[in-house]
Amino acid sequence: MPCETKSRFVVLYGSQKGQAQSIAEGIAEEAEDHGLVAELSCLNQDEKYNLEKEIAPVVFVVSTTGDGEPPDNALQFVKRINKNQSPDHYKHLSYTLLALGDTNYANFCNCGKTIERRLQALGARQFYPAGFADDGVGLELVVDPWLEGLWKAVKEASSKMASVRNDESEANVKDSAKEFLGLTQPDVQLNLLSITDQRSQEAVQTDFHNVPSAPSTSSGQNPSTFSGRTEFVSQNDAMQTKDEGIPHISSSSPLTNSVPPLSQSSLNVPALPPPFLDVTLVEVDAPEQNVGPLKETFHEVPISKAVLLSRGDSVKTALLLELDISTCPALTYQPGDSLDVLCPNRAEEVDYMLCRLGLKDRRDHRVHVALRKDTKKKGAHVPPHIPQNVSLLFLFTWCLEIRSVPKKAFLRALVEYAADGTQKRRLQELCSKQGAADYNLHVRDASLSVVELLTAFSSCSPPLSLLIEHLPKLQPRPYSAASSCLRHPGKLHFVFSVVELPACFGRPAGRRGLCTGWLFDLIHPGIVFPGKTESSSSPAPAKAIHVSLRPSCSFRPPSEQSVPFIMVGPGTGVAPFIGFLQQREEARKRNPEAVFGETWLFFGCRHRNGDYLFREELEGFVASGTLSHLKVCFSRDGREAEEAVASAANPRYVQHNLLLYRQQVADILLRQSGCFYVCGDAKNMAKDVNETLMEIIKTELHVDQLEAMKKLAELREKKRYLQDIWA
Ligand code: FAD
């Protein structure tokens, strides 16, 4: 008798920061509930899957990183499918794809789009419409409905593929496949689950019934082991958390309290992510070897100078740091390169977290992390950013991003550890479909950190294992090189402004960005102030930081010196262009006879006397002829009267100045084969500049929007329109 088998399908992910991976894992975990078996692999684990022979539906979940590049673990796969040319290569393949991206950046979802384009060019057929989720507005707006419709589509595709295989004779296979593939064109609707969806409500209610009382052990279900003893951490221990330098949150905060109608709604709460790690703490006598950051690819270099670039009451504090890289050949750089800076979590926040977990006294104990033998999590593995045998203090200082914005899966997991009923309900709301707007407002858009969330939800005592399972890697922060080593041999400059996050319901006092706040504190006593000569200021700080050069980029000045180019870099976005211009000035000195193309710089800031960064140096470039045109605008000067209308005649932002010089811009870009560079804020500026360029192309070439878009795409493709932007 034939036995009933579950249909299998394949889930492949490419993920840089773990979001695509966690969605793919979620799909694999949920598959069983839908009577399916998922085979989950990362795209770089090509020994685990074989698309050339795959006869089951394939689901891709991929993110995009940098300037539209694939994540590191999808790079080889993308190269492979780009190489393959046969239009029949994936004729047998039936796939769908979920792409994650951010519309704040150019090349939105580029990796997903590339994979989609190549799969289709190689004959693969889509069994369910691709989803393109935008982190700029909230991934869940697309991801949730896409996942909702996925299961029906996978089942249909699976059974159709099976029937094609089973029912048709050899001779008919070709026709049947055609018919099947025709039928499976997007016919699945992406519907949002309605609030009254019976099944989901039951699921929520089941969850409510299963909520355990707050656990009393440090790792949830697993007590911590110390030198063979088993020790329990009481909840009271874990809640001795107040007064650690972290501000209290009012108990009536809208972050922690819900109001009607949400408080009276039924909720569709996601499934509880299965725990998958066992964490053991071991007491050791020997002092820890590795007390600094993980050093594999990072180089420790001294800060030889720190200069305050902004002045007076400028809203943002901008600083230049000079690194002495003379003893570190691995840091040889070109203008346009950027470097990664390693920064630790703030000591008081690490202390707070350890207090909160009831583990402050065990900060020096070594952490051993292993997979739970009984875990239900598909494809579970110890996260690669968790080193073995480091101290708890090290783990929280250098490995875990405790400032990360809590994901909904984390909020869902925290529900189980909230002792207070109101807080438990609020956590359920924040991770539910119905609470999406509240999540966006109070958590995502406010950039609330995990530390701030735990402060606000004071009754939550999560185990250590939960934090290790959910917290992403503490990422190094990238900064653009702001110098040329022809001008400053053995030195590398970079510029940053100190990020100030405003107060919100979960953050009564506001806070500084992690890396920029840390760098500021590190150099504070040794800063050189403008107007003071270096010799008259305090000696240069002898501090050192860990940096590495980022993989080489294409954001470089034109290789031909005669090619004209335009640079757009307001605020700290001017940084790489200082490097471009220093390099150009040195080249001109060394080769005065050579022909150099025209250079334009569009700079903008708030006040001429506050944050006009590098003013003297830029004016010097103009005086020496290195910079042909410097166009600067000030968005706040002389605009106390808000009615002062910004326009090309009254430029306020860089894009207004671009419009003012539209003919020259068009000449360089469209008639002289010049290059166009943009650096700085991705959220507003880069988008506005892009739109302005589009306008210029439309009017100068007398073409419509579509043609202008094509022209811009062509410029990008030829690396003549380049962006180095950040959100
Ligand atoms: P974090 O602690 O990481 O906080 C930043 C977070 O705060 C972000 O999530 C942001 O969305 C959020 N945020 C910021 N302001 C607000 C607000 N008002 N309200 C709510 N949330 C807010 N930066 C430079 O200054 N100079 C450079 O040359 C430079 N070059 C870069 C090059 C590249 C290739 C990239 C990707 C980025 C670059 N950056 C540069 C940005 C830099 O890497 C850091 O992101 C930045 O300095 C902030 O780091 P932080 O750790 O201080 O802030």
Side-chain angles (χ1 to χ4, degrees):
M1 244 177 58
C3 60
E4 208 187 316
T5 53
K6 289 183 175 174
S7 304
R8 59 178 276 280
F9 71 109
V10 175
V11 185
L12 299 175
Y13 65 83
S15 186
Q16 191 71 22
K17 292 191 179 165
Q19 303 221 73
Q21 179 178 349
S22 109
I23 292 171
E25 288 171 353
I27 293 173
E29 271 150 28
E30 225 184 292
E32 213 166 299
D33 298 345
H34 296 272
L36 295 161
V37 175
E39 288 172 12
L40 174 75
S41 307
C42 176
L43 279 166
N44 66 2
Q45 297 171 306
D46 53 2
E47 72 288 357
K48 284 179 66 186
Y49 65 94
N50 184 354
L51 292 186
E52 273 61 30
K53 295 204 173 127
E54 189 50 70
I55 52 167
V58 181
V59 178
F60 291 89
V61 186
V62 288
S63 62
T64 291
T65 184
D67 191 15
E69 277 105 49
D72 293 343
N73 56 19
L75 212 55
Q76 287 309 323
F77 175 77
V78 173
K79 274 191 188 155
R80 230 170 29 239
I81 55 169
N82 270 329
K83 235 186 253 166
N84 212 313
Q85 291 306 325
S86 159
D88 284 350
H89 189 78
Y90 285 143
K91 206 171 145 197
H92 59 284
L93 205 66
S94 200
Y95 79 95
T96 186
L97 177 140
L98 176 63
L100 312 185
D102 187 332
T103 45
N104 286 314
Y105 294 85
N107 296 322
F108 171 63
C109 284
N110 192 43
C111 175
K113 288 177 184 167
T114 306
I115 293 180
E116 164 106 322
R117 201 173 51 243
R118 291 303 300 151
L119 288 175
Q120 296 202 350
L122 298 174
R125 295 301 179 104
Q126 195 186 60
F127 69 85
Y128 177 59
F132 296 93
D134 179 5
D135 207 10
V137 293
L139 291 173
E140 66 278 6
L141 293 182
V142 166
V143 173
D144 289 354
W146 188 89
L147 289 175
E148 215 72 68
L150 176 70
W151 302 109
K152 184 168 167 248
V154 171
K155 281 183 206 166
E156 283 179 2
S158 195
S159 67
K160 282 173 187 166
M161 290 172 96
S163 76
V164 168
R165 283 196 307 277
N166 295 337
D167 302 344
E168 304 299 327
S169 70
E170 271 287 299
N172 288 336
V173 163
K174 223 173 173 181
D175 292 343
S176 310
K178 229 189 228 168
E179 189 192 333
F180 152 64
L181 294 168
L183 280 174
T184 55
Q185 280 309 299
D187 59 355
V188 186
Q189 295 209 338
L190 301 183
N191 289 327
L192 274 168
L193 246 197
S194 93
I195 292 175
T196 50
D197 180 293
Q198 193 57 35
R199 207 183 149 275
S200 309
Q201 273 192 29
E202 278 165 15
V204 172
Q205 278 153 15
T206 313
D207 282 341
F208 282 18
H209 290 303
N210 287 341
V211 171
S213 55
S216 58
T217 62
S218 72
S219 57
Q221 293 73 8
N222 302 295
S224 303
T225 308
F226 306 101
S227 315
R229 286 177 301 128
T230 298
E231 197 159 313
F232 291 89
V233 179
S234 79
Q235 194 191 331
N236 287 343
D237 265 2
M239 289 176 58
Q240 285 170 2
T241 57
K242 311 273 164 72
D243 303 319
E244 292 292 331
I246 307 284
H248 293 214
I249 311 289
S250 148
S251 58
S252 61
S253 155
L255 172 65
T256 46
N257 283 278
S258 66
V259 288
L262 187 57
S263 58
Q264 290 154 4
S265 294
S266 320
L267 301 174
N268 299 131
V269 175
L272 181 65
F276 62 100
L277 292 180
D278 266 337
V279 180
T280 318
L281 294 181
V282 180
E283 190 170 10
V284 285
D285 291 333
E288 190 166 29
Q289 298 288 310
N290 210 351
V291 282
L294 295 170
K295 293 181 184 132
E296 304 103 61
T297 49
F298 284 84
H299 309 275
E300 189 174 11
V301 286
I303 299 172
S304 42
K305 192 160 65 177
V307 183
L308 182 69
L309 297 176
S310 48
R311 300 160 195 229
D313 56 355
S314 169
V315 180
K316 288 186 176 177
T317 305
L319 289 140
L320 175 143
L321 290 197
E322 181 184 82
L323 305 179
D324 182 352
I325 56 165
S326 53
T327 56
C328 195
L331 291 176
T332 307
Y333 67 99
Q334 298 285 316
D337 282 347
S338 44
L339 71 153
D340 275 334
V341 174
L342 263 189
C343 61
N345 282 313
R346 288 191 81 80
E348 61 271 34
E349 292 183 7
V350 170
D351 269 5
Y352 173 78
M353 291 297 277
L354 295 181
C355 270
R356 197 53 200 276
L357 297 167
L359 297 173
K360 198 169 178 193
D361 298 343
R362 291 143 205 155
R363 54 200 281 140
D364 295 323
H365 288 204
R366 300 298 147 83
V367 184
H368 289 261
V369 182
L371 274 188
R372 283 171 74 128
K373 293 209 173 62
D374 59 348
T375 183
K376 299 227 165 30
K377 187 178 168 72
K378 289 265 157 52
H381 58 268
V382 176
H385 61 275
I386 307 297
Q388 290 291 356
N389 208 23
V390 293
S391 70
L392 198 51
L393 182 66
F394 181 91
L395 188 75
F396 274 86
T397 305
W398 293 104
C399 307
L400 299 173
E401 183 97 46
I402 59 176
R403 288 266 189 107
S404 61
V405 175
K407 301 257 161 42
K408 287 184 182 173
F410 180 61
L411 298 178
R412 173 64 191 89
L414 270 189
V415 168
E416 308 298 306
Y417 301 98
D420 174 87
T422 311
Q423 292 188 1
K424 190 187 278 285
R425 163 74 195 190
R426 186 60 176 150
L427 285 168
Q428 281 163 333
E429 287 175 5
L430 289 172
C431 66
S432 72
K433 273 185 205 309
Q434 292 74 15
D438 278 17
Y439 173 83
N440 287 348
L441 180 69
H442 296 303
V443 180
R444 196 182 71 104
D445 297 347
S447 295
L448 196 75
S449 72
V450 165
V451 177
E452 288 159 352
L453 181 94
L454 287 175
T455 313
F457 287 85
S458 52
S459 82
C460 267
S461 334
L464 173 61
S465 57
L466 191 87
L467 291 163
I468 300 180
E469 282 168 2
H470 284 266
L471 292 189
K473 178 182 180 198
L474 176 58
Q475 296 281 351
R477 279 26 178 193
Y479 294 92
S480 311
S483 51
S484 153
C485 46
L486 291 183
R487 169 69 57 86
H488 298 282
K491 298 289 188 320
L492 189 159
H493 295 179
F494 72 96
V495 175
F496 63 94
S497 45
V498 180
V499 168
E500 301 280 354
L501 281 89
C504 63
F505 287 118
R507 187 191 308 128
R511 67 164 149 88
R512 286 192 175 139
L514 181 67
C515 186
T516 53
W518 171 71
L519 286 172
F520 182 80
D521 290 345
L522 196 67
I523 57 176
H524 193 224
I527 294 175
V528 177
F529 289 88
K532 280 191 180 178
T533 57
E534 278 171 49
S535 53
S536 69
S537 68
S538 42
K543 303 278 171 53
I545 58 175
H546 285 84
V547 300
S548 78
L549 215 52
R550 282 164 68 89
S552 78
C553 67
S554 49
F555 198 82
R556 296 267 163 78
S559 45
E560 286 286 326
Q561 289 173 333
S562 59
V563 172
F565 63 95
I566 297 165
M567 299 163 280
V568 181
T572 45
V574 73
F577 303 133
I578 297 297
F580 281 27
L581 291 166
Q582 287 181 356
Q583 181 104 340
R584 170 59 64 99
E585 192 149 271
E586 291 303 315
R588 291 175 83 238
K589 275 187 207 159
R590 287 161 205 213
N591 196 356
E593 305 303 313
V595 177
F596 289 90
E598 240 186 309
T599 51
W600 287 70
L601 174 66
F602 291 86
F603 177 76
C605 59
R606 289 174 184 227
H607 302 289
R608 181 186 295 274
N609 292 324
D611 47 4
Y612 187 170
L613 312 182
F614 295 103
R615 178 175 176 175
E616 288 76 22
E617 189 157 3
L618 289 173
E619 288 171 354
F621 289 136
V622 175
S624 69
T626 299
L627 180 58
S628 324
H629 305 274
L630 172 62
K631 302 296 166 198
V632 186
C633 53
F634 305 100
S635 60
R636 304 291 159 91
D637 278 353
R639 293 181 194 278
E640 281 69 30
E642 268 306 309
E643 64 274 13
V645 181
S647 66
N650 183 19
R652 181 173 191 168
Y653 297 116
V654 281
Q655 62 270 24
H656 301 138
N657 252 339
L658 281 170
L659 272 183
L660 201 56
Y661 295 93
R662 64 202 313 155
Q663 265 170 11
Q664 292 89 332
V665 170
D667 254 7
I668 289 178
L669 204 52
L670 306 173
R671 296 175 196 110
Q672 300 177 37
S673 300
C675 297
F676 191 95
Y677 301 85
V678 187
C679 180
D681 163 47
K683 239 178 191 149
N684 303 307
M685 184 276 295
K687 272 188 192 159
D688 292 339
V689 167
N690 192 68
E691 270 163 32
T692 306
L693 261 190
M694 196 99 86
E695 279 309 306
I696 293 177
I697 292 173
K698 266 159 64 180
T699 43
E700 292 297 316
L701 293 184
H702 308 289
V703 294
D704 63 11
Q705 180 86 1
L706 191 64
E707 283 304 310
M709 280 170 79
K710 281 191 195 159
K711 186 73 201 167
L712 267 192
E714 179 196 317
L715 291 170
R716 272 186 205 285
E717 188 91 353
K718 292 183 170 161
K719 308 268 181 230
R720 287 180 42 217
Y721 173 23
L722 290 150
Q723 293 181 313
D724 186 13
I725 54 178
W726 57 85

